[in-house]
Amino acid sequence: MTALLPRVLRAATLCVVTAVALVLGSAPAWAHAELESSDPAEGASVAKAPGAVTLTFSEAVAPNLATISVSGPGGTRYEAGPATGSGPTLRVPLKPLGAAGGYTITYRVTSDDGHPISGIVPFTLTTPGPAAAAASPAASAPSAQPAPAPTAAASDDGGAPVWPWIVGAVVVVLGGAALALRRNRT
């Protein structure tokens, strides 16, 4: 029985090392870019209309593959050009904002691994922007009801789930242990 113990320990160690290698080797498959911050920040109330929006991600994203739009009350769009930037930060210039109310930054970017990431960043403009002053007085009159705040969407649109890797690792470990025990009995 004492000669059996080193063989079982060796087989169990091999199974654990193999399982760890499988799990660590799969890590890049679930490492997608995530939105880390925005300017204006998510849910922020700003008094002065921003001239641009800035999004910062957890890893580099390609500006030429990014789509970023900014819409305000009534669905009016305010982006004044394409996304620019380098590394993890993208910037989009804005036209002068209009009425006070809820604004939404909608983005879709591509991670370094090619996975598309999308989401929504709502913010509120508390003072009418420069474009509201150019509108007719009737159109810029404040409404009796505040604009509803947009709801945020998840920033990850799928990707590979982690659970198959965990199940696979457990199967490998249990299978290796069973094989080692079976070989040692014969």
Side-chain angles (χ1 to χ4, degrees):
M1 184 71 170
T2 56
L4 179 64
L5 187 59
R7 294 177 79 191
V8 170
L9 287 176
R10 222 180 347 222
T13 302
L14 179 62
C15 289
V16 169
V17 169
T18 303
V20 169
L22 283 172
V23 170
L24 292 178
S26 67
W30 68 70
H32 304 303
E34 293 180 9
L35 182 66
E36 288 189 337
S37 65
S38 63
D39 183 21
E42 182 175 357
S45 293
V46 295
K48 183 179 177 195
V53 295
T54 305
L55 303 176
T56 302
F57 296 89
S58 59
E59 65 181 48
V61 291
N64 59 329
L65 300 176
T67 304
I68 300 174
S69 63
V70 179
S71 58
T76 305
R77 303 256 315 246
Y78 291 97
E79 63 274 5
T84 59
S86 62
T89 303
L90 296 177
R91 184 177 188 276
V92 173
L94 298 179
K95 298 173 191 171
L97 299 186
Y103 284 77
T104 303
I105 304 166
T106 304
Y107 64 89
R108 181 174 174 87
V109 299
T110 303
S111 298
D112 275 345
D113 66 356
H115 187 79
I117 305 297
S118 60
I120 296 173
V121 179
F123 70 95
T124 303
L125 182 62
T126 59
T127 306
S136 67
S140 64
S143 66
Q145 292 181 315
T151 58
S155 64
D156 188 13
D157 61 353
V162 177
W163 68 267
W165 292 102
I166 294 171
V167 170
V170 169
V171 168
V172 167
V173 169
L174 293 177
L179 182 63
L181 289 173
R182 187 168 190 217
R183 287 179 115 191
N184 289 328
R185 286 185 185 165
T186 56

